[in-house]
Amino acid sequence: MAGKYEKFDVSRIEVLPLEQREHDLDLSIIKEMVPSDTVREPFAAVARNMVEAKARGAANVFMMGAHAIRSGIQPYLIDLMERGYISCLALNGAGIIHDYEFALIGQTTESVARYIRDGRFGLWRETGALNDVINEAAKRGEGLGECVGRHILESGLPHEDISLLAAGYRLGVPVTVHIGIGYDIIHQHPNFDGAASGRCSHTDFLYYARVLQSLQGGTVSSFGTAVMGPEVFLKALSMVRNAARQRGEAVDDFTTMVCDLKELPETYRTEASKSDPNYYFRPWKTMLVRTVEGKGGSWYVRETHANAFPELWTAIGRAERGE
C-alpha cells in the first residue's frame, strides 16, 4: 500500500562525475605527527586516564564530527589506534564521505554556496557509489563504518593509508557511523536505500554500545560533535547501565572530555540553568555533568581540532613514559 502523499521522483536527478567538482581540500592539509610544545592539564589528566584504562582493559572511546577529518589530523588518530588507545571511534554520516573521498582521490569538500545555486551540491557519482557498498553490506549484517573501511582496503584505493575507516577495519577497532536520514549528501542519490543505511547504522550503534560495556574506569572524548556524540552516548550508556544493573554491577566511574569552540564558564561541571541558552548545548549537560555524576569526572577544552589532537597525542606519550 502506497503512502498518502506524493513523493519526489529521484529518477529525475542528474548525477555528475567528481572530476567536474572544484575541491576545497586536498592532501596538503594532512599533518605530520609533531609533538606539541605544551600540554595543558585537561589533556594531561585524560591522557593519564587513557593509559591506565588501556592497562586494565577499559574502553577509551572517541567521538567526533566530520570537521575533524577536514583538519588533517588522521595520522594522530591512526597512530593511537595502532597503539591500542582507541577502543571505538564514532563518527557522523559526513565522516565516511570525507574519509572515502580522501582515500579515493586525495581531495574532498565542495562549496555549498557555489553548488546549491543550481542543484549540483552533493550529487557526485563516485561519492554516491558508497550507497551500493552500503546496500550490499546490509544484506551481510555489517556495520556502516565496517563496510566502508573494508571496501577501501579491498579496493586498494590510492590513499587508503590516511583513511580512518580502513585503519579501523585493518586493526579491528570499530569505527561506528551514526546517521540521520537526509543529513548527508549520499542520501540525495537515486541509489540511496534508507532501510539498508539504517540497518547498517543500527548495527554500528550496537557495536558502540557493546564497547561501552567496558567503560568502567575508561574514558570518552568528544571532538566537535554537538548533537550526534552526546545523544548517541546518552542512549547507549543507558542501555549499558540497564543491563549492568540487572547483574548487580555499575558503569559509573569514567572520565569524559569535550573539545569544542564554544566558551563555557569555569563552572562547567555544574549544569546551566534552563534560562541560559547554553543549557541547550548538549555536550555540556550530557557529557560534562549528567553522565558522570557521582564517581566520574569531566574536562572541557576550548580548542581547534588542529591543535587538540596533537596536544592529546603528546600528552599520551608523556603519560606512557611516566612524565
Side-chain angles (χ1 to χ4, degrees):
M1 181 177 176
K4 181 177 180 179
Y5 305 107
E6 186 175 354
K7 296 189 291 185
F8 180 84
D9 182 1
V10 295
S11 69
R12 300 174 64 87
I13 292 174
E14 178 188 37
V15 181
L16 301 171
L18 263 178
E19 64 183 15
Q20 294 185 20
R21 188 177 83 183
E22 292 184 43
H23 310 281
D24 292 346
L25 297 174
D26 60 28
L27 295 177
S28 65
I29 70 157
I30 304 299
K31 300 186 179 305
E32 294 183 14
M33 288 187 294
V34 177
S36 177
D37 292 335
T38 60
V39 171
R40 286 164 285 181
E41 179 55 24
F43 290 113
V46 171
R48 290 192 293 269
N49 291 151
M50 289 181 66
V51 170
E52 292 170 1
K54 177 189 173 186
R56 66 166 65 100
N60 289 311
V61 176
F62 278 37
M63 303 183 296
M64 68 184 201
H67 277 77
I69 295 174
R70 291 167 51 174
S71 68
I73 46 70
Q74 290 90 325
Y76 291 99
L77 279 169
I78 293 171
D79 181 70
L80 291 177
M81 281 194 239
E82 290 175 340
R83 290 158 58 194
Y85 280 108
I86 299 179
S87 309
C88 177
L89 173 61
L91 307 175
N92 58 17
I96 64 169
I97 292 166
H98 292 309
D99 188 88
Y100 175 73
E101 288 183 348
F102 264 136
L104 179 66
I105 62 171
Q107 300 177 91
T108 192
T109 307
E110 61 190 299
S111 168
V112 177
R114 178 188 301 124
Y115 290 115
I116 194 58
R117 294 172 189 151
D118 60 2
R120 286 182 292 164
F121 171 67
L123 292 164
W124 310 103
R125 184 174 303 139
E126 292 84 350
T127 308
L130 279 173
N131 286 324
D132 297 329
V133 174
I134 295 165
N135 296 344
E136 288 301 312
K139 300 173 186 177
R140 296 190 294 269
E142 288 183 311
L144 192 49
E146 176 183 16
C147 73
V148 177
R150 176 183 53 75
H151 175 72
I152 291 171
L153 282 178
E154 292 180 354
S155 301
L157 297 189
H159 309 290
E160 66 179 41
D161 60 309
I162 62 163
S163 167
L164 300 175
L165 296 162
Y169 191 83
R170 171 173 58 87
L171 297 166
V173 176
V175 181
T176 59
V177 182
H178 307 273
I179 69 167
I181 291 178
Y183 282 4
D184 306 314
I185 60 173
I186 59 174
H187 302 172
Q188 304 166 225
H189 288 243
N191 64 341
F192 174 65
D193 184 331
S197 289
R199 181 176 180 183
C200 289
S201 192
H202 180 238
T203 295
D204 273 356
F205 178 60
L206 298 180
Y207 287 163
Y208 176 84
R210 179 64 183 86
V211 172
L212 290 193
Q213 286 187 292
S214 300
L215 186 57
Q216 187 76 344
T219 69
V220 180
S221 299
S222 174
F223 302 89
T225 171
V227 178
M228 179 281 292
E231 290 303 306
V232 170
F233 176 59
L234 181 69
K235 278 71 172 187
L237 181 63
S238 185
M239 294 161 61
V240 167
R241 284 177 167 172
N242 183 292
R245 172 173 48 81
Q246 296 179 65
R247 300 191 302 270
E249 300 173 0
V251 181
D252 60 358
D253 188 3
F254 52 86
T255 300
T256 62
M257 177 176 68
V258 173
C259 293
D260 213 302
L261 295 178
K262 193 172 184 65
E263 286 205 39
L264 297 187
E266 293 183 2
T267 56
Y268 62 78
R269 292 188 177 98
T270 301
E271 191 171 308
S273 69
K274 291 185 178 180
S275 61
D276 183 343
N278 283 324
Y279 173 82
Y280 300 97
F281 181 57
R282 290 172 174 85
W284 183 354
K285 62 184 177 184
T286 300
M287 304 291 302
L288 301 175
V289 182
R290 293 180 177 178
T291 56
V292 292
E293 284 183 329
K295 296 180 181 179
S298 63
W299 296 92
Y300 181 74
V301 183
R302 185 171 182 263
E303 188 54 90
T304 64
H305 300 311
N307 292 329
F309 283 93
E311 192 167 347
L312 178 60
W313 178 79
T314 302
I316 292 170
R318 292 183 181 182
E320 279 183 321
R321 299 187 295 271
E323 297 177 9

